[in-house]
Every structure is written in C-alpha cells, then in structure tokens.
Amino acid sequence: MSAPGSFSKPSWIGSGTMILDIFLTVSKGIGLTLYITAASLFFGGIVGLFLAAGAQSRFALLRLAVAAYVNVVRVIPPITWLFLIYFGLPQFALKLSTLEAAIVGFSVIASAFMAEIYRSGLLSIPVGQREAAHALGMGQLTTARWVITPQAFRVALPAIATYAIGLLKDSALASTIGVHEITYFAQQSAKQLHQGLLSFALAGALYIILSLVIAVISRRIHVRLRQKTGVA
Amino acid sequence: MALNLGTRTSPIPISGGVHVSHLGKSYGSNKVLSDVNLKMQEGEVVSIIGPSGAGKSTFLRCLNYLEVPTEGTITIGGARVCADDSRPDKASLDHLRKVTGMVFQSFNLFPHLTVMENITLPQRKVLRASKDRAEEVAQSLLKRVGLPEKAKEYPARLSGGQQQRIAIARALALSPSVMLFDEPTSALDPEIGLEVLAVMRDLADEGMTMLVVTHEMHFARDVSDRIMVMGNGGVLETGPSEQVMSDPSHERTRQFLKAVLDR
C-alpha cells in the first residue's frame, strides 16, 4: 500500500537526508510500540496466571467459564477488540484514552493466549514433582508457588517469547485508533512526504530489529537456564 | 554413629511406631487393596516384597495419602487418620505428611533448585525454619549421605545414585517418625544402587523406623527385621526376615521367592 502520489516521484534513492528524516520520524514510535507490547504482556501475563489456575480448578463451572473466556477472546480479531473497547465502551461512560484502550485490548487478548501457554507449561511438569512436594508436607499453594510455577515458566519461556513477538507486530493495529506508535508515524511521514514505500519499509525494518532483540534475549535466558539446571 | 541433625535435641524423633489396621482401597467395585494390617515398633525396619501389581506401592502411598484409602485406620507418630471418614481434615493430613518421609523410585528432586535449596525449601515452608538453621541441617545431612561437596550443584548434574541420596537427605530434614521407601533402587543400575542401599543400611542401624518396598532380596533379608509379602492387593504373610526367606508359609511366597532368587 503506498501513499497517494508516491509513484509519481522519480526516485527516493540519492536523498540520504530524507531517509534519515523519515527514519527519525518513524523511530519516535518505538517508545509506545514497546510500551504497549510490554504492558499488555505484563497485565495479560498476570491475568493469564489466574485463568490457568482457574482452568485447573476442581469446580467444573469455573473451568467452563475460563474455557469460554479463552475461546471467545481468541476468535475475535484484535482490531475488533480495539474498536470495541475504544468506540464501544464510551457508551457505558467509560472513555479511555487511545493508549489506554490499546493496552486494555491487547491485555485482554494476551491473557487468553498466555493462559494457554501456561497450561501447556503446567502439563509438562511430571506428576512426581507435585507428589514429592505433598509428601514433604507442602500445601497446594506452597507447591504451586515454589515447585510448579518456576518449572512451568521455564518450559513456557520460548512460547512466551514467540507470543511477545506476535504481540509486538499486532501492536501496529493501535495506529488505527490513533496511538502514536511506529506504524502511526510511518503513515504520517508517508502522507506528508509522499514516501510510502520508504516510510513503511523503514517501519518494517524497525519491527525486524525489535523482534530480533526479543528473540535474542529469550534465547539467552533459555540457554542459561538449561545449562544450569538441565530442564526446559 | 547417631544421625546428626544439627542443633536438634532429638536426632531421631520419638515415633511411637506405625499402626495400620484394615486398610483398604477400591475404585468403585474394583478392590486394589484389602485388609492390610501392619504394626511396627519404633526403630523397626520392614521390607515389603511381592510380585508387581500386588499393591505394594499403593499401600505405601496410602500411608501419606498420596493415594486415598477407602477404609481402615493409619496411626503414625501421633497422627491418626481414619479412612472411613469422607476425607480427613487438613490438620491431620498435614500432620500425617509431616511425620512420614517418602523416597520415590524416580527421586523427584526439584530440578530448578540446587541441592541445598532442595533440602532447605521444605524445612523453611513446612517447619518454618530460619535460613541459617535449615542450611545447617542440610549441610550435616549432606555429610551424612556422603555428598557434602554437592550443595551448590543442580540435580541434573548428579548421577542417579547421588540424586537418590539427596532425596533421602531432603526427607530426613523434616525429622520424620518413619521413612517410606518406594522401590528406591529400581531406577538405578545395580552397582549404583549399592551406594543408596548403604545409606539406607546406616539409617536402619541408627534406629530409623523404615518401611521399604523393594526387589532387593539381600537388603530385605539382611537389613530388615521383618518382611511383609503382598500379593493380589492383600498381605500373604508377615514374619521375621530370615524365616520368610528360608521357610515361607505361603505357597505364593514360595513361588515368588523361587522366581526372584533363581534369576
């Protein structure tokens, strides 16, 4: 998708300062892109923890409610969630800023996905771990906190990193409700400078770089944990 | 040599022995355990032998409620639980688990914790011991099982025999009245198993009350005071080790012993 008129420009090559200009403009969005991603991963990660716990509950009704929540959240497209929250909630006198709406929306979505990731992590822990903890007199909560969760987290880490990268990309959708993140600025410079190709190509490059950073960090943690403990 | 548990006044807690009566477990109409009775003196070592599927492990796991028995009474170290009740209250269950230490076939050390943390975590969470106290106890137990230099290692770096000795130390750290061993050497090759058996033998010599599900016939004969033979979810016979091994009274025991000893 190129901005109107960009095809009529002879070439964008040769204008080093223009590339720099666009790059600096688009870069202004890095902050909010990372902020939305990190905040949503954080809140979604916490809510997801409770959802995963609920999915293990002995009360069938609670398990059912969690399953329903997770499935409903996951089948609605992210952009629909954002519109629902940003344009829909004000009808209930709940007016959120664009940034708040984006973080709430992505947190809701992240909570469902994180719950599933935790669940697979939990399933990978051998039953003997729980039995050993119980045989040692440790209660349900102590066992969950000190024995199961740390191990499940290690197992889940690669999946969490993959999801974080997915979330980073999805955060571009926040531009549609006007959050000043990378894609928003790319759109601005595409319109103002008639440089659609260059603006969005630079935005794409930024997403690649940020994704690589997340991937490298998670890989490092993963390798360190594995060297140390031989698990995960 | 007495079991050195750091500053604790009573190295081996007063247990009052073990008393299990009419213990049974069934899934619906399927009875997997029926009318198991066992009385152990304090300091006694009893081995449980028998063919697989006899209910040996199920019986042992009922004693600390990893499996929930459906009938009978368990009395261990002042903890008393009746299986006739729907489900025991949390307090008596906690008590029961506090007075029993269990060692598993697959060790079940916590892989994300160091050896030291494996031994101190339950002390701190269950006994509410201070960090210093817990580490002191752990260090002396590590010395006791012959692995004082492994405190900072993670379980994955240890051999199976070493892991099992750490698991024994971890269970001992809570000063249980009775130690339950569920085939502690079955996952180890025979030579490595010996180092675990040696630790268990020392423990027996020091007066620990022990109940051991095992296929190690030498250990059963030489170390335990009595042998309980199980078959088909029940007790076939219980008697002094020497007598059960050399002159069993039950025909099924005779068959079983012949099968394992002729190997």
Side-chain angles (χ1 to χ4, degrees), chain A residues 80-91:
Chain A
T80 313
W81 270 114
L82 289 190
F83 286 176
L84 200 61
I85 286 162
Y86 186 64
F87 299 116
L89 286 186
Q91 287 188 356

Side-chain angles (χ1 to χ4, degrees), chain B:
Chain B
M1 186 178 124
L3 184 66
N4 183 5
L5 282 173
T7 55
R8 274 184 211 170
T9 45
S10 162
I12 295 171
I14 308 305
S15 73
V18 173
H19 188 181
V20 183
S21 65
H22 305 299
L23 199 75
K25 177 176 178 62
S26 39
Y27 299 97
S29 62
N30 183 18
K31 222 164 167 107
V32 292
L33 212 58
S34 63
D35 198 30
V36 180
N37 295 284
L38 177 65
K39 234 181 198 163
M40 286 172 72
Q41 303 290 326
E42 193 182 327
E44 202 179 7
V45 178
V46 173
S47 289
I48 305 176
I49 64 171
S52 50
K56 309 183 294 289
S57 286
T58 308
F59 168 61
L60 202 69
R61 289 160 57 87
C62 278
L63 298 186
N64 64 358
Y65 262 69
L66 285 186
E67 304 275 357
V68 181
T70 45
E71 52 191 305
T73 319
I74 300 167
T75 314
I76 299 174
R80 182 184 162 85
V81 177
C82 278
D84 308 325
D85 306 339
S86 51
R87 193 179 164 87
D89 57 297
K90 199 177 168 309
S92 29
L93 200 61
D94 285 351
H95 192 178
L96 187 67
R97 285 179 171 166
K98 213 178 270 184
V99 296
T100 52
M102 181 171 255
V103 175
F104 298 86
Q105 181 179 346
S106 49
F107 331 135
N108 293 347
L109 291 179
F110 304 135
H112 61 299
L113 301 178
T114 62
V115 164
M116 175 57 82
E117 289 163 344
N118 262 279
I119 305 176
T120 55
L121 179 71
Q123 292 184 72
R124 303 202 58 196
K125 297 301 163 192
V126 178
L127 304 180
R128 306 258 157 233
S130 72
K131 187 164 186 279
D132 289 348
R133 168 72 165 273
E135 288 185 351
E136 200 181 317
V137 170
Q139 203 51 257
S140 69
L141 281 168
L142 283 175
K143 223 174 280 166
R144 173 69 197 69
V145 298
L147 297 166
E149 75 288 356
K150 299 295 186 191
K152 292 197 170 67
E153 295 282 7
Y154 283 88
R157 299 247 180 140
L158 305 178
S159 72
Q162 290 171 334
Q163 289 192 46
Q164 193 61 299
R165 284 146 71 192
I166 302 294
I168 293 173
R170 180 175 69 173
L172 287 174
L174 299 179
S175 311
S177 306
V178 57
M179 285 286 282
L180 311 172
F181 293 85
D182 191 2
E183 301 196 26
T185 57
S186 295
L188 302 169
D189 57 59
E191 206 177 351
I192 298 283
L194 289 179
E195 66 186 54
V196 174
L197 291 174
V199 168
M200 291 169 62
R201 193 182 289 254
D202 286 352
L203 209 55
D205 289 345
E206 287 155 13
M208 175 57 78
T209 313
M210 292 163 63
L211 192 52
V212 188
V213 171
T214 187
H215 292 297
E216 306 273 357
M217 292 303 144
H218 288 292
F219 180 89
R221 188 183 58 207
D222 301 344
V223 181
S224 45
D225 302 299
R226 283 187 297 152
I227 292 179
M228 177 163 120
V229 188
M230 290 186 72
N232 220 353
V235 179
L236 296 177
E237 61 183 296
T238 307
S241 307
E242 217 26 81
Q243 181 235 302
V244 171
M245 294 296 280
S246 56
D247 184 25
S249 57
H250 203 283
E251 178 52 33
R252 184 71 184 89
T253 310
R254 227 178 288 262
Q255 278 173 17
F256 172 73
L257 286 175
K258 185 163 163 34
V260 279
L261 294 176
D262 283 357
R263 284 175 75 93

